[in-house]
């Protein structure tokens, strides 16, 4: 009520009032992690949630024990930073030494390593919406290089103030309807979301040796940058195509054998068509088959979770393989007029 105004030009107001927000992000058990309640109060909720999700991931993998102490376990965290320090200032909470560590991005990844005495590489990466995917790529590279025997990799995003939401509004990035309509002709932007997700990574040979539960195998990863485009936020279909082709080549993958593509799914007419054209171009280097491969985006289900968006996509794919079902992409009624599905490899 305080910030909503249907007029997109209204100062310090937003025309969108929806989001996939997490509940109870203030809830935390500090003593479980040997953190004092006083220190925890000054910790960005992103640090608290990331710590909890790291533990949950290790617990699911069977490694939330002293077994990992002093081992080469890396931690790779994707985040775009928090605004908790701003919120504390507005609420009249005066900074302390605890607030310093509680609001520094580098400590986000360090907390779990400190708690469990992990000795692998440890850092936080910010590459905007691709942060968690870049973190996973770097974790894979660390394992391949022998720097890490095991790695935690993923991302986190919470919004503790309305500031970022208001900025997205002024950039006309948010959907007026509050829905991510990926690949649909009515796509008008995204609805923001919050989230946190982690993967536990090991080399396949080590996972088989240790009798681990394996959700999936990463056959190849890669990163690049768009270079110069029509604007610093505008994607490049050529760069996206080149990246996909380089990964297929290095990993020995023929796209004709791919039976699902999880898309970034910008949920804008331009962004969706650019990504779709890039993927179609990459596939067409190998095959002329039409409409044999489903394509979707978890963004339609949970909103755009920014620095945790990509790990959410990977978890979706892993669960789809586990349950042998592809979750539906929502809000798709009329295909984007710039996308020719019937001529592409995708449906």
């Amino acid at each position: 009520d305080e910030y909503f105004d249907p007029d997109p030009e209204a100062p310090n107001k937003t025309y969108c009032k929806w989001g996939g927000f997490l509940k109870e992000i203030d809830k935390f058990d500090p003593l479980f992690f040997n953190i004092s309640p006083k220190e925890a109060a000054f910790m960005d909720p992103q640090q608290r949630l990331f710590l909890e999700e790291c533990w949950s991931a290790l617990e699911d993998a069977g490694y939330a024990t002293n077994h990992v102490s002093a081992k080469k376990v890396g931690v790779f965290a994707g985040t775009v930073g928090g605004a908790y320090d701003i919120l504390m200032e507005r609420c009249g909470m005066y900074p302390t030494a605890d607030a310093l560590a509680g609001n520094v991005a580098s400590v986000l990844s360090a907390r779990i390593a400190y708690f469990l005495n992990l000795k692998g590489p440890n850092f936080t990466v910010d590459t905007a919406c691709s942060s968690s995917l870049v973190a996973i790529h770097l974790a894979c590279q660390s394992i391949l290089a022998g720097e890490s025997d095991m790695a935690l990799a993923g991302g986190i995003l919470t919004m503790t103030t309305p500031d970022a939401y208001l900025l997205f509004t002024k950039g006309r990035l948010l959907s007026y309807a509050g829905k991510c309509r990926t690949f649909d002709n009515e796509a008008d932007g995204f609805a923001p979301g919050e989230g946190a997700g982690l993967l536990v990574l090991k080399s396949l040979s080590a996972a088989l040796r240790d009798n681990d539960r394996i959700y999936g195998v990463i056959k190849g990863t890669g990163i690049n940058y768009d270079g110069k485009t029509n604007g610093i936020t505008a994607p490049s279909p050529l760069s996206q195509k080149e990246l996909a082709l380089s990964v297929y080549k290095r990993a020995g993958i023929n796209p004709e054998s791919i039976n699902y593509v999880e898309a970034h799914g910008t949920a804008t007419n331009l962004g969706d068509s650019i990504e779709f054209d890039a993927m179609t171009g990459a596939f067409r280097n190998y095959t002329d088959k039409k409409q044999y491969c489903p394509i979707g985006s978890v963004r339609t289900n949970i909103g755009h979770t920014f620095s945790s968006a990509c790990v959410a996509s990977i978890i979706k794919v892993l669960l789809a393989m586990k349950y042998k079902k592809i979750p539906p992409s929502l809000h798709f009624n009329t295909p984007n007029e710039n996308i020719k599905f019937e001529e592409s490899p995708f449906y």
Side-chain angles (χ1 to χ4, degrees):
D1 290 343
E2 183 180 349
Y3 290 98
F4 177 73
D5 192 310
D7 179 7
E9 300 297 337
N12 205 38
K13 299 289 184 179
T14 170
Y15 58 81
C16 182
K17 54 183 178 181
W18 293 273
F21 298 110
L22 299 176
K23 291 181 167 68
E24 300 183 334
I25 64 169
D26 58 320
K27 301 296 189 291
F28 181 64
D29 183 1
L31 299 181
F32 179 85
F33 294 104
N34 294 331
I35 297 171
S36 74
K38 179 188 173 186
E39 181 181 358
F42 287 93
M43 285 169 59
D44 187 326
Q46 294 195 136
Q47 289 197 14
R48 305 178 212 164
L49 280 167
F50 194 79
L51 191 54
E52 290 174 338
E53 290 306 308
C54 283
W55 178 267
S56 293
L58 287 170
E59 197 170 47
D60 183 75
Y63 287 101
T65 66
N66 289 332
H67 177 79
V68 292
S69 178
K71 299 291 178 61
K72 291 195 300 182
V73 179
V75 183
F76 302 82
T79 183
V80 291
Y84 191 58
D85 53 343
I86 297 173
L87 180 65
M88 287 192 292
E89 182 181 335
R90 290 175 182 172
C91 293
M93 289 178 67
Y94 297 103
T96 68
D98 293 325
L100 176 63
N103 292 272
V104 177
S106 56
V107 179
L108 176 77
S109 58
R111 292 236 180 233
I112 190 67
Y114 176 77
F115 179 58
L116 292 176
N117 191 34
L118 309 179
K119 296 298 184 75
N122 186 294
F123 58 89
T124 304
V125 58
D126 177 0
T127 59
C129 306
S130 63
S131 296
S132 59
L133 196 59
V134 171
I136 291 166
H137 166 76
L138 294 172
C140 291
Q141 294 296 307
S142 180
I143 291 171
L144 291 170
E147 294 175 337
S148 301
D149 293 329
M150 186 165 72
L152 278 159
I156 172 77
L157 187 282
T158 63
M159 290 181 274
T160 50
T161 74
D163 298 26
Y165 199 103
L166 293 170
L167 280 173
F168 295 139
T169 298
K170 297 314 171 190
R172 303 290 178 89
L173 300 174
L174 301 187
S175 165
Y176 284 82
K179 297 177 179 178
C180 296
R181 299 180 174 120
T182 299
F183 300 132
D184 190 84
N185 206 46
E186 299 299 316
D188 62 347
F190 60 82
E194 297 178 311
L198 271 297
L199 304 178
V200 179
L201 303 173
K202 293 173 73 172
S203 69
L204 178 59
S205 58
L208 292 170
R209 177 198 67 207
D210 298 334
N211 210 22
D212 292 323
R213 175 174 19 180
I214 300 172
Y215 287 98
V217 179
I218 297 174
K219 298 197 72 174
T221 67
I223 54 176
N224 72 354
Y225 188 68
D226 290 318
K228 191 170 181 63
T229 61
N230 292 330
I232 195 165
T233 59
S236 164
L238 179 60
S239 293
Q240 289 186 17
K241 175 184 173 181
E242 289 174 344
L243 178 60
L245 287 172
S246 69
V247 174
Y248 298 155
K249 183 177 180 180
R250 286 199 310 273
I253 294 171
N254 185 330
E256 204 168 60
S257 68
I258 294 175
N259 55 25
Y260 177 69
V261 168
E262 172 67 12
H264 177 59
T266 304
T268 63
N269 267 308
L270 179 63
D272 286 350
S273 60
I274 285 176
E275 181 178 15
F276 196 93
D277 288 348
M279 291 305 301
T280 297
F283 272 53
R284 285 292 176 250
N285 269 46
Y286 289 84
T287 179
D288 292 324
K289 286 177 66 176
K290 295 178 181 179
Q291 295 202 290
Y292 69 91
C293 181
I295 189 169
S297 175
V298 75
R299 179 178 295 191
T300 67
N301 307 91
I302 64 173
H304 181 19
T305 58
F306 304 99
S307 43
S308 62
C310 296
V311 70
S313 292
I314 293 177
I315 290 171
K316 169 190 169 180
V317 172
L318 294 173
L319 291 175
M321 293 195 294
K322 177 181 178 180
Y323 293 107
K324 296 180 173 57
K325 291 181 180 179
I326 298 173
S329 291
L330 307 183
H331 318 307
F332 181 82
N333 298 305
T334 305
N336 183 325
E337 61 187 16
N338 298 311
I339 293 176
K340 300 294 185 283
F341 274 97
E342 63 279 3
E343 298 297 322
S344 79
F346 307 112
Y347 68 90

